[in-house]
């Protein structure tokens, strides 16, 4: 069980990460369960991690560089689409940075195998703000529309949103797979 002081440190670390990325021109938007908590749960962090979508066209390791400055101690792991940051090496205080890349007009998660966040495009990058544990975070314009598209009925609490759901409106997912494949770039208008 996360103590109140640990939760405060966790949220402050997440805010620190978002601020540093934004200051270094890396788009960073609150997503996932933490965004659901901000919208549905009136800003109370219930999720065990804090998730961000970041837009990065460069080497994934370069994302860590701006965070090092004045950062509290943290460890990290990296895979093809996500950087997991652990405050003071504590796996219970995790901040996930899901990496998206631009494919022509839209942005897609680099790893399309994630079931509940398969492929969704960001219709606009006009930012919106939400409150999570009394801290202001940037997220997508119209977060309710974004959450419905990814999770479907996110307002009804569930034990898990991953991997036991089909997600929101993903009828277009197979078409999107075509657009994210580098092999098809020369076939796209």
């Amino acid at each position: 069980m996360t103590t109140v002081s640990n939760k405060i440190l966790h949220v402050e670390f997440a805010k620190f990460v978002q601020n540093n990325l934004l200051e270094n021109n890396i788009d960073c938007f609150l997503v996932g369960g933490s965004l659901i908590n901000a919208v549905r749960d009136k800003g109370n962090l219930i999720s065990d991690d804090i998730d961000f979508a970041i837009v990065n066209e460069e080497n994934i390791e370069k994302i860590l560089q701006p965070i090092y400055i004045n950062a509290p101690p943290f460890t990290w792991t990296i895979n093809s689409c996500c950087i997991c940051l652990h405050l003071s090496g504590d796996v219970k205080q995790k901040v996930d940075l899901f990496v998206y890349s631009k494919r022509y007009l839209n942005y897609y998660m680099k790893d399309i195998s994630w079931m509940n966040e398969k492929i969704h495009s960001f219709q606009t990058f006009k930012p919106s703000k939400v409150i999570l544990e009394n801290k202001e975070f940037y997220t997508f314009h119209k977060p309710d529309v974004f959450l419905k598209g990814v999770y479907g009925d996110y307002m009804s609490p569930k034990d898990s949103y991953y991997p036991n759901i089909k997600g929101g409106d993903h009828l277009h997912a197979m078409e999107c797979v075509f657009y994210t494949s580098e092999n098809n770039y020369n076939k796209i208008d």
Side-chain angles (χ1 to χ4, degrees), residues 8 11-12 15 30 43 130-137:
I8 291 169
V11 173
E12 286 179 357
K15 185 63 183 163
L30 189 69
V130 293
I131 302 296
L132 184 64
E133 293 295 333
N134 300 316
K135 296 276 185 198
E136 190 174 78
F137 286 89

Side-chain angles (χ1 to χ4, degrees), residues 36-97:
I36 291 173
N37 294 162
V39 175
R40 182 191 69 203
D41 302 313
K42 299 177 176 67
N44 295 310
L45 180 63
I46 298 169
S47 299
D48 56 355
D49 62 0
I50 299 174
D51 300 322
F52 292 104
I54 58 172
V55 179
N56 181 53
E57 300 299 327
E58 298 183 35
N59 188 326
I60 196 168
E61 287 87 1
K62 289 185 179 180
I63 297 165
L64 291 170
Q65 291 174 353
I67 301 172
Y68 288 130
I69 302 167
N70 299 317
F74 69 95
T75 58
W76 65 92
T77 56
I78 298 175
N79 64 40
S80 63
C81 76
C82 184
I83 301 173
C84 302
L85 308 176
H86 305 277
L87 180 60
S88 300
D90 184 352
V91 295
K92 294 179 183 176
Q93 293 185 298
K94 186 170 72 158
V95 173
D96 289 331
L97 305 173

Side-chain angles (χ1 to χ4, degrees), residues 7-182:
K7 185 187 286 189
I8 291 169
L9 290 174
H10 190 191
V11 173
E12 286 179 357
F13 179 59
K15 185 63 183 163
F16 170 85
V17 168
Q18 186 179 56
N19 286 346
N20 275 269
L21 292 175
L22 292 172
E23 287 170 7
N24 285 277
N25 299 314
I26 298 173
D27 290 324
C28 181
F29 300 92
L30 189 69
V31 295
S34 41
L35 180 57
I36 291 173
N37 294 162
V39 175
R40 182 191 69 203
D41 302 313
K42 299 177 176 67
N44 295 310
L45 180 63
I46 298 169
S47 299
D48 56 355
D49 62 0
I50 299 174
D51 300 322
F52 292 104
I54 58 172
V55 179
N56 181 53
E57 300 299 327
E58 298 183 35
N59 188 326
I60 196 168
E61 287 87 1
K62 289 185 179 180
I63 297 165
L64 291 170
Q65 291 174 353
I67 301 172
Y68 288 130
I69 302 167
N70 299 317
F74 69 95
T75 58
W76 65 92
T77 56
I78 298 175
N79 64 40
S80 63
C81 76
C82 184
I83 301 173
C84 302
L85 308 176
H86 305 277
L87 180 60
S88 300
D90 184 352
V91 295
K92 294 179 183 176
Q93 293 185 298
K94 186 170 72 158
V95 173
D96 289 331
L97 305 173
F98 291 97
V99 181
Y100 286 75
S101 60
K102 188 172 184 178
R103 297 291 185 259
Y104 293 88
L105 298 177
N106 292 312
Y107 294 79
Y108 301 96
M109 184 180 278
K110 285 195 174 188
D111 182 349
I112 61 173
S113 65
W114 287 67
M115 187 171 180
N116 69 325
E117 301 196 41
K118 244 179 196 173
I119 299 181
H120 49 278
S121 60
F122 304 153
Q123 300 304 317
T124 177
F125 273 92
K126 177 181 174 183
S128 183
K129 296 178 183 176
V130 293
I131 302 296
L132 184 64
E133 293 295 333
N134 300 316
K135 296 276 185 198
E136 190 174 78
F137 286 89
Y138 283 96
T139 191
F140 303 113
H141 182 60
K142 298 184 179 179
D144 180 61
V145 173
F146 172 78
L147 288 170
K148 284 179 184 173
V150 176
Y151 299 107
D153 180 18
Y154 73 92
M155 292 300 285
S156 299
K158 299 172 178 58
D159 289 337
S160 174
Y161 289 92
Y162 177 83
N164 299 318
I165 65 163
K166 294 179 182 176
D169 178 13
H170 291 302
L171 297 176
H172 68 295
M174 291 311 295
E175 294 173 12
C176 293
V177 169
F178 177 86
Y179 288 98
T180 60
S181 171
E182 292 181 16

